[in-house]
Amino acid sequence: MARTGLNEWEAKAAGFEVETVLLESTDQAGYMPDAEGLTVKLVVEMRTGRLLGGQAVGKRGADKRVDVLATALYASLTVTQLEELDLAYAPPFNSVWDPVQAAATRVRRHGPAQSSS
């Protein structure tokens, strides 16, 4: 279990209007025989699409995903920019689309306005 930035309640208490997404995925390519569940949650500012925080829970790989989110927070990335990152693909460690990127895609398609700047 790992987290970075604001959780949903902290963001609302700070006055942000937020969108959240919870994505159930796996810690590696799903066809790998020992793939385990991994859950990623993103907290995003509705108006701008800027990432405010995130959490990950899983037997393996939660730390990797939260490291990516912490870097995205440091760089003030939007979910569109997060979705466009070129993250490592290796079936024993990750799917073609990382769960963080899949969650960002879900927010972008169903949630806040986006800005690429």
Side-chain angles (χ1 to χ4, degrees), residues 50-51 66-78 82 85:
R50 181 174 58 124
L51 182 69
V66 170
D67 281 346
V68 170
L69 295 175
T71 302
L73 286 172
Y74 180 79
S76 299
L77 296 185
T78 66
L82 180 60
L85 292 176

Side-chain angles (χ1 to χ4, degrees), residues 43-80:
V43 180
V44 179
E45 183 181 19
M46 285 290 293
R47 186 177 58 79
T48 64
R50 181 174 58 124
L51 182 69
L52 297 174
Q55 298 100 44
V57 177
K59 194 171 184 179
R60 298 180 304 245
D63 58 334
K64 171 187 174 178
R65 276 53 185 218
V66 170
D67 281 346
V68 170
L69 295 175
T71 302
L73 286 172
Y74 180 79
S76 299
L77 296 185
T78 66
V79 288
T80 297

Side-chain angles (χ1 to χ4, degrees), residues 21-40:
V21 65
L22 189 68
L23 180 87
E24 301 287 334
S25 188
T26 56
D27 58 359
Q28 57 183 328
Y31 59 80
M32 295 297 290
D34 57 346
E36 298 271 353
L38 179 76
T39 302
V40 173

Side-chain angles (χ1 to χ4, degrees), residues 7-31:
N7 67 32
E8 183 176 357
W9 299 277
E10 291 167 338
K12 288 178 180 178
F16 291 104
E17 183 179 349
V18 299
E19 171 78 15
T20 63
V21 65
L22 189 68
L23 180 87
E24 301 287 334
S25 188
T26 56
D27 58 359
Q28 57 183 328
Y31 59 80

